[in-house]
Amino acid sequence: MQLQSELPSGSSEPKEKTILKLKLNTDPRWVNIASKNIEDILVDHAYCEQKAASTGISLIVKYPEKTRLVDELTLLVAEEWAHFERVLLELRKRGFELGPQRRDEYVVQLMTHVRRGDHRDRQLMDMLLVSALIEARSCERFKLLWQHIPDPDLSKFYYELMVSEAAHFVAYVDLAKEYRDPKEVDARLQELLRIEGEIITSLPVRDDRMH
């Protein structure tokens, strides 16, 4: 079951500056080197989908009283796990194995900006918004792979996932606004978008990482 995408009517792809709101686009060198090291990219991508599913489960477990969150994240987790299975299939088709999990420095740095402590709903807001940003950046990377990767099957695959990730971004932001004042959410999202851009700038362009 797929979450409903909220892309503009008649649009076939998300627009980073409107839907995803990213402050900084990916270095264009990334797609060139990534497409030449597709085994490592697929392995890293598989773990990204696994961790996205795990994050949704952990939020459900931590906030079981929030009915809308439980219902929507249940669908999101199922979709993320289906994506994991699809990435595994792409690996197998090419004779590759899953391989060991890699440290995702991008996510690690973003997670340091989730505020902890006694403010339970504020922490939830931050977790939802950080999750939204990870989905947004993944969506932007998938768009680059869709447009530029020479493998036509993978190009189609990444187009489909690009649309899903855009919907996940919207779903996470909407959930944050369900449980905190929308103006507070918008302000915090702008802060985290700025931080996310700084993190992207600080990280090296690697051929073995999705982020």
Side-chain angles (χ1 to χ4, degrees):
M1 191 168 187
Q2 184 164 325
L3 296 175
Q4 182 179 5
S5 173
E6 296 191 20
L7 301 181
S9 177
S11 175
S12 62
E13 63 184 81
K15 308 297 184 182
E16 290 88 348
K17 298 302 184 183
T18 54
I19 299 297
L20 305 180
K21 308 181 189 300
L22 295 172
K23 300 293 186 184
L24 184 73
N25 289 335
T26 289
D27 187 315
R29 293 175 297 167
W30 177 80
V31 70
N32 294 326
I33 61 176
S35 65
K36 295 173 184 176
N37 197 16
I38 198 61
E39 179 179 2
D40 280 332
I41 287 295
L42 285 171
V43 169
D44 194 59
H45 179 189
Y47 282 112
C48 288
E49 299 292 356
Q50 178 265 319
K51 286 180 278 190
S54 297
T55 296
I57 292 170
S58 68
L59 287 170
I60 290 169
V61 170
K62 188 169 184 177
Y63 297 92
E65 77 281 4
K66 298 189 182 302
T67 301
R68 181 182 169 190
L69 180 144
V70 171
D71 290 347
E72 293 198 16
L73 290 189
T74 296
L75 298 178
L76 188 145
V77 166
E79 190 166 304
E80 298 285 18
W81 195 254
H83 291 172
F84 173 72
E85 292 176 327
R86 291 187 64 187
V87 181
L88 278 183
L89 179 61
E90 295 299 330
L91 280 165
R92 300 287 188 261
K93 282 164 56 177
R94 291 161 177 78
F96 302 144
E97 299 298 329
L98 178 59
Q101 183 173 343
R102 296 88 179 272
R103 177 180 171 88
D104 192 334
E105 190 62 37
Y106 168 79
V107 172
V108 169
Q109 290 194 33
L110 267 180
M111 288 297 294
T112 66
H113 297 279
V114 174
R115 294 169 294 183
R116 312 290 178 175
D118 297 333
H119 300 283
R120 190 165 181 267
D121 279 358
R122 189 184 71 178
Q123 182 177 338
L124 171 62
M125 175 184 69
D126 281 3
M127 277 296 303
L128 291 169
L129 293 181
V130 164
S131 297
L133 291 180
I134 295 168
E135 298 286 342
R137 183 57 65 183
S138 296
C139 178
E140 191 239 9
R141 297 283 167 98
F142 293 167
K143 178 181 176 182
L144 288 172
L145 291 170
W146 161 53
Q147 291 177 327
H148 299 291
I149 200 165
D151 185 319
D153 290 338
L154 277 180
S155 176
K156 180 176 182 293
F157 172 68
Y158 278 114
Y159 173 81
E160 293 170 359
L161 267 61
M162 172 193 72
V163 175
S164 291
E165 301 299 270
H168 294 174
F169 167 81
V170 172
Y172 273 122
V173 174
D174 283 351
L175 278 175
K177 292 181 178 180
E178 175 80 6
Y179 300 112
R180 298 292 283 189
D181 183 88
K183 291 182 179 179
E184 179 188 5
V185 173
D186 286 336
R188 181 60 175 159
L189 178 58
Q190 289 303 311
E191 291 177 10
L192 290 171
L193 281 162
R194 175 185 54 78
I195 290 166
E196 195 269 352
E198 293 171 353
I199 292 171
I200 285 292
T201 302
S202 71
L203 293 174
V205 179
R206 299 185 58 164
D207 64 353
D208 61 346
R209 295 288 190 275
M210 183 58 71
H211 298 126

